[in-house]
């Protein structure tokens, strides 16, 4: 169990916010992937079997995106440096402020990532085209690599966050 030395550290509050908003933002992630599909692969909105399947898809569980969500949350905490609480004069609590900030940051990340073809294809493979015989780890890893390349950062379990250098040609 983590031993907290200063309970009102910004990162503790931000981690709690990110955990509380996980399901809500993962739903939005799936909807954004669907919208990204239509903007990249079907910009004219032509109706075919594939686009109907994507449009009609509704997720029942979101655990496929847990690792990606945690990666994006870690990158956000890394990029939003500092652990000191701000003085707030607008009547909101720090929890409310960080909740609004995290939602805004997450949506900005999604907007950027959903313009990448590999990210959209892997996301569709995890949702719309998911089948039990497929290995989910491959699509999850493609999404993570796309995220690492986009931000130029990678999260290591024991080393922390470090610069990411793409190994692709």
């Amino acid at each position: 169990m983590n031993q907290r030395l200063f309970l009102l550290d910004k990162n503790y509050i931000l981690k709690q916010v990110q955990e509380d908003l996980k399901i809500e933002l993962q739903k939005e992630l799936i909807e954004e992937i669907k919208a990204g599909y239509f903007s990249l692969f079907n910009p004219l909105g032509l109706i075919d079997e594939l686009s109907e399947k994507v449009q009609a898809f509704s997720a029942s569980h979101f655990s496929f995106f847990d690792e990606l969500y945690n990666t994006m949350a870690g990158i956000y905490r890394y990029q939003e440096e500092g652990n000191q609480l701000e003085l707030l004069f607008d009547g909101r609590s720090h929890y409310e402020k960080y909740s609004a900030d995290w939602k805004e940051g997450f949506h900005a990340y999604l907007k950027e990532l959903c313009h990448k073809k590999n990210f959209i294809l892997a996301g569709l493979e995890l949702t719309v085209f998911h089948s039990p015989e497929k290995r989910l780890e491959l699509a999850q890893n493609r999404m993570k690599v796309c995220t690492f390349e986009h931000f130029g950062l990678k999260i290591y379990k024991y080393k922390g966050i470090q610069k990411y250098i793409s190994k692709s040609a």
Side-chain angles (χ1 to χ4, degrees):
M1 178 162 173
N2 290 350
Q3 191 173 20
R4 296 181 179 188
L5 300 176
F6 183 61
L7 295 176
L8 292 178
D9 184 304
K10 173 184 174 183
N11 285 317
Y12 291 136
I13 297 171
L14 187 53
K15 276 184 180 181
Q16 185 62 51
V17 163
Q18 290 172 333
E19 187 61 34
D20 292 347
L21 294 174
K22 184 182 235 179
I23 300 297
E24 175 187 338
L25 293 178
Q26 285 177 333
K27 286 179 188 175
E28 293 177 20
L29 167 66
I30 293 171
E31 292 305 314
E32 197 66 37
I33 287 171
K34 288 167 52 176
Y37 163 76
F38 285 105
S39 70
L40 282 178
F41 298 103
N42 192 357
L44 297 177
L46 302 174
I47 304 300
D48 61 352
E49 183 181 328
L50 183 62
S51 62
E52 285 178 343
K53 189 173 183 178
V54 170
Q55 188 68 33
F57 178 79
S58 179
S60 58
H61 70 287
F62 309 99
S63 62
F64 300 144
F65 296 104
D66 284 350
E67 194 171 355
L68 175 70
Y69 181 86
N70 292 334
T71 299
M72 291 172 70
I75 289 172
Y76 180 80
R77 286 192 307 272
Y78 178 77
Q79 290 180 336
E80 296 295 317
E81 295 176 345
N83 60 358
Q84 297 295 315
L85 293 177
E86 303 171 36
L87 294 174
L88 302 178
F89 298 103
D90 58 1
R92 294 186 299 170
S93 69
H94 287 96
Y95 184 91
E96 293 169 332
K97 182 199 182 318
Y98 296 143
S99 179
D101 290 350
W102 168 232
K103 282 182 181 179
E104 184 179 316
F106 186 80
H107 290 297
Y109 288 173
L110 280 184
K111 188 174 276 194
E112 296 168 5
L113 288 170
C114 285
H115 289 295
K116 299 191 178 299
K117 180 180 167 187
N118 290 337
F119 188 84
I120 297 295
L121 291 175
L124 289 174
E125 191 174 326
L126 288 172
T127 54
V128 178
F129 305 116
H130 170 68
S131 64
E133 61 271 1
K134 289 186 180 177
R135 291 190 52 201
L136 296 176
E137 298 86 18
L138 299 176
Q140 289 171 328
N141 286 339
R142 282 199 313 272
M143 288 186 91
K144 279 194 318 186
V145 167
C146 189
T147 304
F148 295 153
E149 287 177 348
H150 177 74
F151 292 107
L153 299 170
K154 185 171 182 179
I155 298 176
Y156 295 96
K157 187 173 187 175
Y158 297 107
K159 298 180 197 176
I161 296 181
Q162 296 183 346
K163 297 282 184 205
Y164 178 75
I165 299 166
S166 177
K167 296 176 182 144
S168 61

